[in-house]
Amino acid sequence: MFKIGFSLLALLLIIINGHSWIAHKRTLPGTDSSFQVAVNRLRHPQLNHPSELARYPRLKGQPALYLVAIRKERRLYVISGHQVLYIVNARINLSPATLHINHSRGNQIFNQNNNVQQVGTNWLSLSQADTFIEAPVEVNNHRVHGNWLQARYHCANTIDVSKPDAYWLQDLPAGTRLVIK
C-alpha cells in the first residue's frame, strides 16, 4: 500500500512539473529566477510612474546588455547576460525585427503616421528609419494620461513607455541590440 501511494505521488509530481515546464516555456533568454524577481516588482502601468517598484539599475558598464520587446506581453525586457535587470511596460507598435539603438536622442519629438499625430518626450532613435522609443504626451491633440497601454490610438513605428522609463532608457549605450518578438 505504501509503495503504491508513493508511486502515485511521484507520478503526480512528474506530471505537475512537466505541465509547469511546458506552460512557462518562454522565448526570453534570461534566467527563471531573475525573470520572476523582475515580474514581482512590476506595478500597474501609469504614464507618470516607473514600471517597477525597484530602483533603476545602472546601464553603463553592464556586460552583454540588450533589449527584448514582446508585443503580446506589452513588455520591454532589459537584459544583461542571462539576467533580467528590469521590465518596462511598453506598447510596441513595430513588427518583429532586430534593431539597434542609435546615438540620436532628445527631449521632445513629433511623429505623424497614418493620420495619427503624436508628441513624445525623452525619445531614442532606432536603427530602422523613423522608429523611436518614447513616452507619449499627446495623440491627435488629446493629452495621454493614466494607463496609456489601454488607449485606442496606434502610432506606427514607436515603442511607447512611461515618462520615467523613457528618461532612464536614454542612458542606453548606442549600438545596444533590440529584438522585437
Side-chain angles (χ1 to χ4, degrees):
M1 184 71 154
F2 178 74
K3 288 182 182 179
I4 293 173
F6 185 74
S7 298
L8 287 174
L9 179 65
L11 182 62
L12 183 63
L13 286 173
I14 290 171
I15 291 171
I16 290 172
N17 284 334
H19 181 289
S20 176
W21 181 74
I22 290 169
H24 294 292
K25 193 171 182 181
R26 299 181 317 278
T27 57
L28 192 63
T31 62
D32 287 334
S33 59
S34 68
F35 173 78
Q36 195 59 47
V37 167
V39 167
N40 288 339
R41 291 187 308 230
L42 269 179
R43 64 169 68 178
H44 185 71
Q46 289 294 322
L47 186 63
N48 295 317
H49 297 290
S51 294
E52 288 190 12
L53 295 170
R55 300 180 101 184
Y56 290 116
R58 292 189 54 168
L59 295 175
K60 294 181 179 167
Q62 291 286 347
L65 184 67
Y66 64 101
L67 307 172
V68 176
I70 301 179
R71 295 177 65 177
K72 198 183 315 180
E73 295 180 10
R74 292 186 172 180
R75 291 181 180 162
L76 177 69
Y77 296 91
V78 180
I79 301 172
S80 175
H82 292 289
Q83 181 181 9
V84 177
L85 296 178
Y86 200 85
I87 299 175
V88 177
N89 291 314
R91 182 175 185 141
I92 298 133
N93 302 319
L94 294 165
S95 16
T98 299
L99 306 172
H100 292 85
I101 304 293
N102 283 344
H103 291 281
S104 303
R105 44 200 83 203
N107 292 335
Q108 194 166 18
I109 191 166
F110 177 81
N111 293 327
Q112 183 165 357
N113 291 312
N114 302 330
N115 296 325
V116 176
Q117 300 172 350
Q118 179 170 325
V119 177
T121 61
N122 301 326
W123 59 274
L124 290 164
S125 174
L126 301 174
S127 57
Q128 186 177 337
D130 296 325
T131 56
F132 305 97
I133 298 175
E134 63 186 20
V137 175
E138 288 184 3
V139 176
N140 293 336
N141 296 323
H142 293 82
R143 197 130 186 85
V144 177
H145 54 82
N147 184 354
W148 79 103
L149 296 179
Q150 303 300 327
R152 292 186 177 197
Y153 71 89
H154 174 77
C155 189
N157 300 331
T158 62
I159 297 178
D160 296 333
V161 299
S162 72
K163 291 176 184 177
D165 290 339
Y167 183 76
W168 171 69
L169 287 172
Q170 285 189 322
D171 288 340
L172 282 169
T176 301
R177 186 170 48 121
L178 167 63
V179 179
I180 302 170
K181 297 182 179 186

